[in-house]
Amino acid sequence: MTTTDYQKIIRQTTFALSAPTLKLCPADTGFEVAFAGRSNAGKSSAINTITHQKQLARSSKTPGRTQMINFFDVGCQHSRIVDLPGYGYAQVPEAMKIKWQKELENYLVHRESLTGLILLTDIRHPLKYFDEQMLHWAKDGSLPVHVLLTKADKLKRGAAKTALLQIKKQLQALELPFSIQLFSALNKEGLDELADVLGNWLHLGENLDLTDTDLVSQNIANNELQSSD
Ligand code: GDP
């Protein structure tokens, strides 16, 4: 599969469901890639840009509405993008924050179909405490991480490269497998790189003829591979 093939499949993404808790998520089979980031990091814009759809992921400024896990089918039900609730809202009550932190940890560490985490962060800000928390959970779940430095259009080339290096250093200190790229929903920078990551992690174009039983065994094999890294 080429990048163009992946992009064609990614354009066929459709909304599947919103789940208020992990218990109501789709069955844990197939392949799933989660998008996570602080609220306002540019997560909805990135999902809409990569899928070439204007309103697939809705950006919301009200804390209540974002506290849902949104699932999207990428081409078929066996490959899913998951839009995790944005974190970092100062106004969210402490009890709700704790509840969601537990849900996120549980999801990242235990979700069998999850093959990778896309962590989004505004290129103008370093990784913050809860970003690092997400990365630790990804490490606990043996998940590879791909970091999108969003709103890259806000900085000039030189400054963007410097920011990239600084955030790379932060990530290296955490000792987990990661890749990183610049991204801009505004000028469409970084779409090919992101499509390749999604294509690989979601096994796009490979799994269409597989039965659920095949997919479950494939997940077990993937997890074994990851844990032996
Ligand atoms: P979310 O809360 O993470 O889903 O973030 P949104 O996608 O809603 O974006 C938050 C704000 O950043 C909005 O005002 C967007 O228009 C803006 N934004 C998102 N991506 C970009 C980008 O690539 N470039 C610029 N300049 N602004 C962006």
Side-chain angles (χ1 to χ4, degrees), residues 24-133:
L24 299 170
C25 284
D28 194 2
T29 59
F31 306 104
E32 217 163 79
V33 170
F35 281 62
R38 294 173 64 78
S39 51
N40 219 35
K43 188 156 53 68
S44 317
S45 305
I47 293 175
N48 290 337
T49 303
I50 190 72
T51 56
H52 292 263
Q53 299 185 39
K54 285 205 173 80
Q55 289 227 322
L56 187 65
R58 301 262 171 86
S59 114
S60 168
K61 301 298 154 223
T62 46
R65 248 212 63 197
T66 47
Q67 305 300 308
M68 297 283 265
I69 308 179
N70 296 311
F71 291 83
F72 303 94
D73 292 334
V74 187
C76 69
Q77 287 179 348
H78 290 310
S79 301
R80 294 178 298 272
I81 283 176
V82 185
D83 181 6
L84 294 175
Y87 44 82
Y89 270 116
Q91 303 94 319
V92 175
E94 202 55 33
M96 197 192 258
K97 274 189 197 160
I98 291 168
K99 174 185 165 275
W100 271 104
Q101 285 172 17
K102 288 218 176 91
E103 286 273 301
L104 286 174
E105 175 179 9
N106 204 2
Y107 173 79
L108 291 176
V109 177
H110 299 298
R111 184 85 170 161
E112 295 282 327
S113 50
L114 193 59
T115 53
L117 172 70
I118 311 262
L119 187 82
L120 296 92
T121 183
D122 187 317
I123 190 160
R124 296 165 297 174
H125 308 304
L127 296 174
K128 303 222 170 100
Y129 173 78
F130 203 72
D131 297 315
E132 295 203 348
Q133 187 64 74

Side-chain angles (χ1 to χ4, degrees):
M1 285 262 142
T2 63
T3 307
T4 316
D5 294 329
Y6 288 149
Q7 277 174 338
K8 277 190 197 146
I9 302 175
I10 295 167
R11 276 175 190 240
Q12 293 162 23
T13 301
T14 52
F15 174 76
L17 64 93
S18 282
T21 72
L22 274 173
K23 284 195 193 102
L24 299 170
C25 284
D28 194 2
T29 59
F31 306 104
E32 217 163 79
V33 170
F35 281 62
R38 294 173 64 78
S39 51
N40 219 35
K43 188 156 53 68
S44 317
S45 305
I47 293 175
N48 290 337
T49 303
I50 190 72
T51 56
H52 292 263
Q53 299 185 39
K54 285 205 173 80
Q55 289 227 322
L56 187 65
R58 301 262 171 86
S59 114
S60 168
K61 301 298 154 223
T62 46
R65 248 212 63 197
T66 47
Q67 305 300 308
M68 297 283 265
I69 308 179
N70 296 311
F71 291 83
F72 303 94
D73 292 334
V74 187
C76 69
Q77 287 179 348
H78 290 310
S79 301
R80 294 178 298 272
I81 283 176
V82 185
D83 181 6
L84 294 175
Y87 44 82
Y89 270 116
Q91 303 94 319
V92 175
E94 202 55 33
M96 197 192 258
K97 274 189 197 160
I98 291 168
K99 174 185 165 275
W100 271 104
Q101 285 172 17
K102 288 218 176 91
E103 286 273 301
L104 286 174
E105 175 179 9
N106 204 2
Y107 173 79
L108 291 176
V109 177
H110 299 298
R111 184 85 170 161
E112 295 282 327
S113 50
L114 193 59
T115 53
L117 172 70
I118 311 262
L119 187 82
L120 296 92
T121 183
D122 187 317
I123 190 160
R124 296 165 297 174
H125 308 304
L127 296 174
K128 303 222 170 100
Y129 173 78
F130 203 72
D131 297 315
E132 295 203 348
Q133 187 64 74
M134 296 289 286
L135 292 167
H136 282 297
W137 291 330
K139 192 175 173 181
D140 290 346
S142 303
L143 279 182
V145 174
H146 184 67
V147 177
L148 283 194
L149 297 183
T150 60
K151 312 186 196 181
D153 57 274
K154 295 270 193 187
L155 295 184
K156 297 212 171 96
R157 277 290 103 185
K161 279 204 175 144
T162 307
L164 180 79
L165 284 177
Q166 275 168 353
I167 296 176
K168 247 188 193 172
K169 272 193 196 148
Q170 258 189 300
L171 288 159
Q172 276 157 354
L174 298 172
E175 297 182 337
L176 46 80
F178 76 91
S179 45
I180 185 166
Q181 68 162 106
L182 302 180
F183 188 85
S184 166
L186 191 78
N187 62 22
K188 317 272 185 253
E189 177 178 1
L191 288 189
D192 286 357
E193 265 176 282
L194 179 56
D196 278 340
V197 171
L198 289 175
N200 285 324
W201 285 356
L202 292 173
H203 295 246
L204 295 182
E206 288 173 28
N207 57 357
L208 300 177
D209 299 327
L210 296 180
T211 63
D212 276 350
T213 319
D214 291 335
L215 285 161
V216 169
S217 356
Q218 215 165 20
N219 278 337
I220 293 166
N222 279 347
N223 287 339
E224 278 168 3
L225 268 181
Q226 284 181 0
S227 51
S228 66
D229 283 346

